[in-house]
Amino acid sequence: MLRLRPFAAARCLPAGPRLGPLCLVGNRGSFARSWPPAGGRGPLSRQVRAAAGGERLPVLKTPKGTRDHAPAQAALRERLLGAVVSCFKRHGAAAIDTPALELRDTLVGKYGEGAKLIYELQDQGGELLALRYDLTVPFARYLAMNKITKMKRYHVAKVYRRDNPATTRGRYREFYQCDFDIAGQFDPMIPDAECLKIVHEILSDLQLGDFVIKVNDRRILNGVFAVCGVPESKFIPACCTVDKLDKVPWEEVRSEMVGEKGLSPEAADRIGEYVQLHGGLELIERLLQDPKLSQNKVAKEGLGDMKLLFEYLTLFGITGKISFDLSLARGLDYYTGVIFEAVLLQQENEHVEEAVSVGSVAGGGRYDGLVGMFDAKGRKVPCVGVSIGIERIFSILEQRLEASGEKLRTTETQVLVVTPQKHLLAARMKLISELWDAGIKAEMLYKKDPKLLKQLQYCEDTGIPLAAIVGEQELADGVVKLRDVATRKEVDIPREKLIDEIRRRLEP
């Protein structure tokens, strides 16, 4: 028995294009009106069938660790990427691109403990594939495959990690990386110093607050492990554990070294005496005189290069932001020499009461052996590079923008073509075509006879700086009324001079 109940008491579906709301009453969601019509599949048919049959519609959301970007967020990201890429270009880098998919064997064995975060795919027509984990290994594969021995490149693209996301800290499973790398045989530490200069330039230009760039060398770390009695087979596991020192206290790191990595308590204690040191040139000089490290050939080479690096960084004028930090390890297997990581120290922002904790915002280092792993004859191409943590920086800028209440323009429209009276669509379309043909970014409202106030309000709401008004009087006089939206001042401009006047006003 089907009974119609009052509208407010019924379970209602959204209104269709030709029907009012559908109110579902009675047993098992029987519905008061038949929809869709017999043989038809209206726009609401699936929802109605689902409600009638008790089917649950899928929840609409993005996968865990991913996100959509609304126009304002996309505009902010574009501005951020533009600033970073501009710096890369300033230093002479050329852009490349590589597939998001790589052969599984290309990626495995390159990332240490990070290998468990690789997204592996099922057999795809005889190929075992994986989504790229970073942009460095694909770059090394690209160099080896194309037999390139010298290149300065940048690459901006998405990478994928099966990680535990922390979206408030800018940590996702799908995210952009912005990499700058120098490949080739060059004199020691000159390319390395330029990579650090690039990090300094980008973080300074973005005005994110105070920061420090930590530097170390894998050879120094390996020398420390050797003189502390760690077997060479455990260098990489020990390195991965030391890399956690920026997140957990030494006691926890020591406990993992002994309990999980199999190091002796005595070896762990000796390591602790070194990896908690940080400083500058004076620390390098002190370690060069260390009775144990000075006798280790690998450590001595690393310390010599670190001293040279600081001399170059002094010439670049950036040593005030550089810290030689022996706790820096960077857990990726492929690093062979200098390693570095940029960390924000605090968030200087009057609009935000609490600091935004985002951790590292850039990192990189030297990987001289990675290209050789892909070459049939093992030929090496020395490389050094840096990756800018775009997502983490974006999370800071996004929160900053939200707290300030500033409205970010999402389009680049320069002129809105406006008509004040009815029956002037043809005049609008003709004028906007002239503007487009002249390369001017222009819009008009998609109505035959829009109201003048709505057109001008659209300019103000979207930040369009100029309005070109063409009405009956303007058509008769052969002019266009050009309105400055910010000041609301209007001037009649002869039609033939309009393009030049718009360009003049838009000049920086």
Side-chain angles (χ1 to χ4, degrees), residues 17-172:
R18 289 183 290 275
L19 295 179
L22 298 175
C23 301
L24 305 182
V25 295
N27 190 26
R28 290 198 57 187
S30 302
F31 40 94
R33 300 183 64 169
S34 175
W35 179 262
R41 294 183 62 84
L44 289 181
S45 59
R46 185 182 176 209
Q47 288 92 327
V48 174
R49 290 198 308 276
E55 175 190 344
R56 292 186 64 185
L57 291 174
V59 177
L60 293 178
K61 63 177 183 178
T62 61
K64 185 178 180 182
T66 66
R67 64 174 294 186
D68 293 321
H69 288 84
Q73 295 163 333
L76 180 62
R77 176 187 294 279
E78 186 177 353
R79 187 178 297 183
L80 172 58
L81 290 174
V84 173
V85 168
S86 176
C87 180
F88 292 164
K89 289 181 176 180
R90 187 163 64 242
H91 285 261
I96 70 164
D97 195 15
T98 62
L101 294 172
E102 290 281 353
L103 294 175
R104 178 184 175 277
D105 289 344
T106 300
L107 303 184
V108 295
K110 315 296 191 304
Y111 300 111
E113 293 186 355
K116 62 180 180 289
L117 305 180
I118 295 174
Y119 271 108
E120 297 184 14
L121 307 180
Q122 293 180 348
D123 188 348
Q124 303 293 314
E127 289 186 326
L128 294 176
L129 305 178
L131 293 174
R132 60 186 171 204
Y133 178 92
D134 69 358
L135 301 179
T136 305
V137 171
F139 176 53
R141 188 264 308 154
Y142 172 85
L143 292 175
M145 192 174 82
N146 293 284
K147 296 181 172 53
I148 297 171
T149 58
K150 186 183 295 185
M151 187 179 199
K152 186 189 294 186
R153 83 87 166 88
Y154 74 89
H155 190 183
V156 178
K158 286 183 177 181
V159 298
Y160 304 86
R161 297 184 185 178
R162 202 174 60 214
D163 204 350
N164 287 322
T167 54
T168 56
R169 291 166 50 103
R171 187 173 177 178
Y172 296 90

Side-chain angles (χ1 to χ4, degrees), residues 170-181:
R171 187 173 177 178
Y172 296 90
R173 289 179 169 176
E174 176 193 61
F175 57 95
Y176 274 101
Q177 279 195 339
C178 297
D179 283 17
F180 173 97
D181 292 80

Side-chain angles (χ1 to χ4, degrees), residues 456 469 481-484 487-492 505:
L456 297 179
I469 304 171
K481 195 179 295 295
L482 195 59
R483 178 186 176 97
D484 186 308
T487 64
R488 302 187 177 182
K489 291 183 178 179
E490 298 178 348
V491 180
D492 286 344
R505 293 200 185 198

Side-chain angles (χ1 to χ4, degrees), residues 186-238:
F186 302 106
D187 288 337
M189 296 298 105
I190 299 175
D192 311 61
E194 183 171 3
C195 286
L196 290 165
K197 180 72 165 71
I198 285 172
V199 175
H200 187 278
E201 285 180 13
I202 290 173
L203 296 183
S204 298
D205 290 346
L206 292 175
Q207 299 179 353
L208 297 172
D210 199 9
F211 64 90
V212 64
I213 304 172
K214 301 177 182 180
V215 297
N216 198 2
D217 194 299
R218 274 289 179 85
R219 293 169 296 176
I220 299 174
L221 266 181
N222 289 344
V224 167
F225 294 148
V227 302
C228 291
V230 178
E232 188 173 348
S233 62
K234 294 185 178 180
F235 279 8
I236 290 178

Side-chain angles (χ1 to χ4, degrees), residues 12 43 57 70 172 176 233 254 296 325 358 360 379 398 445:
C12 297
L57 291 174
Y172 296 90
Y176 274 101
S233 62
R254 181 189 183 280
N296 183 277
D325 191 327
V358 293
S360 168
R379 288 169 292 200
E398 187 178 22
L445 299 193

Side-chain angles (χ1 to χ4, degrees), residues 1-2 55-56 87 131 151 180 257 288 296 384 391 399 410 485 499:
M1 178 72 180
L2 186 65
E55 175 190 344
R56 292 186 64 185
C87 180
L131 293 174
M151 187 179 199
F180 173 97
M257 281 184 170
L288 281 169
N296 183 277
V384 64
E391 300 296 347
Q399 291 182 46
T410 60
V485 176
I499 302 296

Side-chain angles (χ1 to χ4, degrees), residues 355-413:
V356 180
S357 176
V358 293
S360 168
V361 291
R366 177 160 286 281
Y367 50 101
D368 288 348
L370 187 57
V371 177
M373 296 174 71
F374 298 110
D375 187 272
K377 296 183 179 179
R379 288 169 292 200
K380 295 182 179 181
V381 178
C383 298
V384 64
V386 59
S387 182
I388 306 299
I390 283 297
E391 300 296 347
R392 292 183 171 182
I393 295 173
F394 178 78
S395 70
I396 297 173
L397 297 179
E398 187 178 22
Q399 291 182 46
R400 213 183 253 189
L401 188 67
E402 184 178 342
S404 70
E406 179 187 350
K407 189 174 180 180
L408 192 67
R409 281 201 70 188
T410 60
T411 68
E412 297 181 3
T413 306

